[in-house]
Amino acid sequence: MEGKILTNQRELEKLERRRPQRFDLIAGNVCLDFVNTLDDRHTQQPKELLKTYVDLARFGEDTGVLRATQVDTLFERSYTNAEAAQASLLRGRELRESIHDVFWATINQRPVPPVALADLNSFAQAAARHMQLVPIKSGFAWTFDTRLDFDTVLWPIARAAADLLASDQLNYVRACSSKTCEWFFLDSSKNHHRRWCDMTRCGNRAKVSRFYARQKKER
């Protein structure tokens, strides 16, 4: 019987991973990855990666905020209750921009916009209403309630943003040095001198640009 249970668990885990990852998760914190779902933010043509509620749910799946089975249920509900799903998507974008504005001000040592902080506080407080303590082997842990709501995906993101802002890791939140990128990330490098969101993306492009600039000067 035990072997059968373990086999079923493995089969379930395979099902949970059946969809390929859609989002680039390079930030080191779910709330910063969430900010990065508006790509090329500071250009004339920013790219919205959360075009539909399905995109929002898939972000939750990619980051582990939602299980694949939860995403399946939310997919179905989003088609039968499109208006509520769209409202949740808009709240998600509002949360994302609040997180961005607060961290952007912090990164650039500017005053935090009061409206953005108030919005983030509101989302964090709403998330807290869905948290509960549960016993675990070594004591207790916080978890979110099991009720599945369109906003379920937003609760852990809001909580992650609040926790990061109140932590000693705040000083290590960076924006990519590429002016056409400026994705957020948590600098966990040994010396905390990381400049790029990802060396295979912006870091390599910067190196190539500097190389060609030097070549041009030498001619």
Side-chain angles (χ1 to χ4, degrees):
M1 180 64 70
E2 183 178 356
K4 183 65 175 178
I5 293 173
L6 290 175
T7 300
N8 289 341
Q9 288 175 340
R10 294 190 192 101
E11 291 173 354
L12 180 59
E13 288 170 359
K14 288 179 182 178
L15 288 173
E16 291 281 344
R17 296 191 298 269
R18 66 185 177 275
R19 281 182 285 258
Q21 184 169 308
R22 177 179 293 187
F23 293 88
D24 290 330
L25 307 175
I26 56 85
N29 187 290
V30 66
C31 73
L32 303 181
D33 280 317
F34 193 54
V35 169
N36 297 340
T37 59
L38 184 61
D39 198 9
D40 299 333
R41 176 184 292 273
H42 297 291
T43 67
Q44 292 183 344
Q45 294 182 314
K47 299 174 184 175
E48 177 60 74
L49 303 184
L50 300 180
K51 295 179 180 178
T52 68
Y53 181 80
V54 169
D55 295 327
L56 178 59
R58 283 296 307 276
F59 176 83
E61 181 179 13
D62 281 1
T63 56
V65 166
L66 296 176
R67 298 190 305 275
T69 51
Q70 292 178 306
V71 173
D72 289 341
T73 300
L74 290 171
F75 280 178
E76 294 174 4
R77 291 184 185 176
S78 71
Y79 293 118
T80 58
N81 196 349
E83 186 175 340
Q86 180 66 16
S88 182
L89 172 65
L90 296 179
R91 284 192 294 274
R93 291 178 183 168
E94 181 184 355
L95 170 60
R96 180 186 66 191
E97 297 313 298
S98 298
I99 295 171
H100 170 270
D101 291 351
V102 171
F103 279 100
W104 182 255
T106 302
I107 291 169
N108 292 282
Q109 299 181 335
R110 296 175 183 173
V112 174
V115 172
L117 184 59
D119 284 346
L120 180 52
N121 266 316
S122 179
F123 279 106
Q125 289 163 1
R129 288 195 288 271
H130 297 279
M131 295 186 70
Q132 58 187 353
L133 282 170
V134 295
I136 58 175
K137 191 172 182 180
S138 58
F140 294 86
W142 284 108
T143 187
F144 290 94
D145 62 40
T146 56
R147 189 188 74 176
L148 192 58
D149 185 276
F150 283 124
D151 283 354
T152 297
V153 63
L154 303 181
W155 303 335
I157 297 170
R159 176 60 188 258
D163 287 346
L164 183 55
L165 284 167
S167 76
D168 58 4
Q169 298 294 301
L170 177 60
N171 290 333
Y172 303 132
V173 176
R174 309 273 191 259
C176 180
S177 292
S178 171
K179 295 303 178 184
T180 58
C181 175
E182 297 187 298
W183 272 20
F184 284 1
F185 62 90
L186 186 62
D187 182 4
S188 57
S189 64
K190 184 176 180 179
N191 296 320
H192 301 295
H193 290 157
R194 179 178 161 191
R195 295 182 58 200
W196 313 107
C197 63
D198 189 340
M199 278 302 299
T200 61
R201 293 160 53 97
C202 296
N204 282 342
R205 284 200 293 266
K207 285 183 177 181
V208 171
S209 296
R210 289 197 299 270
F211 171 78
Y212 282 116
R214 287 196 302 269
Q215 292 287 310
K216 191 174 182 180
K217 286 181 179 179
E218 292 171 0
R219 290 174 183 173

